[in-house]
Amino acid sequence: MTPDPAMTIDEIAAEWLARMVSGNASPEDRANLAAWLEADSRHKGAYMRAMALWQMLNGAAQNPAVAPPLPRGWAHQRFTRRWMIGGGAAIAASAAAVLLLRPYVLDEPQIFQTGRGEVREFTLADGSHIVLDSQSRVDVTMRRDARNVALVEGMGWFHVAKDKTRPFTVSANGARFVAVGTAFSVSREGGTKIVVSEGIVRMTAADHDRAIDLHRNETATIDPAGGLKLARLSDDAMSRQMAWREGSVGLDGETLREAAESFNRYNRMQIVVADQALADKRVVGWFSRNDPLGFSTAAATMLDAKVERQGETIRLTKK
């Protein structure tokens, strides 16, 4: 971030804080903030005032879990009444600082998304983490009494910071998944699927009357017609389900069509399965998500098929 020379110190501090709590701060941003803070003692005071305002507006006095990150090397400060009166007066004089922070403390959603081939982690203001798969998007709304995430596209993995006063809810295709402190993934591909890797998640769906509690290594799939399937996974199967976070595609009996769709989400080079009977055959294995040709060659060997590459297209056909 490059501060505008026309901005006051308090306005610059507010903009820095907004960047830090947005979940989009890069290592370079954090290094630049540290340099800005060390450049002038007034900068540290302005940043602490901005933090105090952020905490007051976001209800941190009642909920200590809601707090912006301190720059590396800073100790947590005790905000005294005298400090708050003096610092608060300085902030009140800067309406621009409040406007800069509004998107991060009110009910306006933040949008996080990824492009083709991109898998990215985001840190939310409450300390929760989201990892988005390729071509995915979530809209996040942080409120004083709730944390709401709408999975608009693709797939995400959510590691939820514990806060019993603010349930963390992920919604997708009419289903809702509520957690307090846990880790799970939700996908919109071919219906809605949840895989719980830690803790407990309560699931409700539009076409089902009762809520269902899902525990570690359990999964639920709601197909496009509303059918519900529950299953418990082995540790090996769980590893395959989470392989996408490590740059891999783990297959454990998926059809060749489903496997091709997985690789096509990550790569410009697209796999086309020309024969219906071949597309319905099942494949197993662990593959690099960025190597569609390597996967296609291995699948052709397993299924006695033929591989043809034409530009950016890989065709799998029966021999």
Side-chain angles (χ1 to χ4, degrees), residues 11 32 66 74 130 159 172 175 183 195 269 283 292 300 303 307 310-311:
E11 289 170 346
N32 289 340
V66 182
W74 280 35
I130 297 176
H159 191 277
V195 179
M269 186 176 293
V283 290
L303 303 176
V307 179
Q310 301 170 345

Side-chain angles (χ1 to χ4, degrees), residues 76-138:
H76 285 275
Q77 303 292 320
R78 180 179 178 85
F79 297 127
T80 65
R81 183 174 182 274
R82 179 181 298 175
W83 188 94
M84 292 295 289
I85 292 173
I91 294 177
S94 178
V98 177
L99 293 175
L100 283 166
L101 288 169
R102 279 178 62 89
Y104 305 100
V105 299
L106 299 181
D107 293 343
E108 302 171 17
Q110 291 177 266
I111 297 174
F112 301 95
Q113 57 189 352
T114 54
R116 183 188 296 276
E118 182 183 17
V119 175
R120 187 175 174 190
E121 180 174 355
F122 302 91
T123 302
L124 304 184
D126 70 329
S128 297
H129 296 270
I130 297 176
V131 180
L132 290 183
D133 196 11
S134 173
Q135 300 185 98
S136 299
R137 171 183 161 179
V138 292

Side-chain angles (χ1 to χ4, degrees), residues 11 14 22 44 64 77 79 90 168 184 191 216 224 234 266 269 293 312 314:
E11 289 170 346
S22 70
K44 291 183 179 180
Q77 303 292 320
F79 297 127
F168 189 103
F184 60 100
R216 180 179 179 272
S234 66
Y266 297 106
M269 186 176 293
L293 184 58
E312 293 294 298
I314 300 171

Side-chain angles (χ1 to χ4, degrees), residues 9-300:
I9 290 177
D10 280 306
E11 289 170 346
I12 295 172
E15 189 161 296
W16 271 121
L17 182 63
R19 175 65 63 90
M20 292 301 108
V21 301
S22 70
N24 295 322
S26 66
E28 183 181 3
D29 287 330
R30 288 188 281 272
N32 289 340
L33 170 59
W36 183 78
L37 291 169
E38 292 300 322
D40 190 321
S41 60
R42 294 174 300 170
H43 295 177
K44 291 183 179 180
Y47 193 82
M48 295 300 289
R49 290 194 295 272
M51 287 176 61
L53 175 63
W54 193 95
Q55 290 174 316
M56 285 187 291
L57 291 178
N58 212 34
Q62 291 75 33
N63 185 2
V66 182
L70 285 167
R72 183 174 296 177
W74 280 35
H76 285 275
Q77 303 292 320
R78 180 179 178 85
F79 297 127
T80 65
R81 183 174 182 274
R82 179 181 298 175
W83 188 94
M84 292 295 289
I85 292 173
I91 294 177
S94 178
V98 177
L99 293 175
L100 283 166
L101 288 169
R102 279 178 62 89
Y104 305 100
V105 299
L106 299 181
D107 293 343
E108 302 171 17
Q110 291 177 266
I111 297 174
F112 301 95
Q113 57 189 352
T114 54
R116 183 188 296 276
E118 182 183 17
V119 175
R120 187 175 174 190
E121 180 174 355
F122 302 91
T123 302
L124 304 184
D126 70 329
S128 297
H129 296 270
I130 297 176
V131 180
L132 290 183
D133 196 11
S134 173
Q135 300 185 98
S136 299
R137 171 183 161 179
V138 292
D139 294 354
V140 178
T141 304
M142 289 290 188
R143 293 164 38 195
R144 290 185 178 89
D145 60 349
R147 299 168 289 174
N148 297 323
V149 178
L151 180 63
V152 179
E153 182 181 7
M155 178 163 60
W157 178 80
F158 309 90
H159 191 277
V160 182
K162 293 184 178 180
D163 185 350
K164 293 183 178 180
T165 66
R166 296 198 304 163
F168 189 103
T169 302
V170 177
S171 58
N173 291 329
R176 298 175 74 249
F177 308 98
V178 183
V180 174
T182 186
F184 60 100
S185 68
V186 178
S187 170
R188 290 177 58 104
E189 303 296 330
T192 305
K193 182 177 183 178
I194 177 173
V195 179
V196 180
S197 50
E198 178 184 316
I200 303 173
V201 178
R202 175 157 293 183
M203 180 188 77
T204 57
D207 297 330
H208 300 273
D209 295 333
R210 65 186 181 90
I212 299 173
D213 286 346
L214 299 169
H215 299 73
R216 180 179 179 272
N217 282 30
E218 292 183 342
T219 179
T221 304
I222 305 172
D223 64 35
L228 174 64
K229 179 181 179 181
L230 303 175
R232 180 165 183 82
L233 304 178
S234 66
D235 288 341
D236 182 63
M238 276 294 298
S239 295
R240 292 177 186 273
Q241 290 287 336
M242 297 291 115
W244 62 273
R245 293 191 296 137
E246 309 300 330
S248 302
V249 174
L251 302 173
D252 188 22
E254 285 81 1
T255 65
L256 183 57
R257 180 192 303 103
E258 292 169 336
E261 290 172 352
S262 294
F263 280 94
N264 290 345
R265 282 203 306 272
Y266 297 106
N267 300 283
R268 291 185 180 277
M269 186 176 293
Q270 299 287 284
I271 301 172
V272 176
V273 185
D275 182 83
Q276 181 65 41
L278 180 62
D280 289 337
K281 290 189 175 182
R282 299 189 177 274
V283 290
V284 296
W286 199 284
F287 306 91
S288 169
R289 67 176 179 232
N290 297 322
D291 187 13
L293 184 58
F295 161 74
S296 298
T297 302

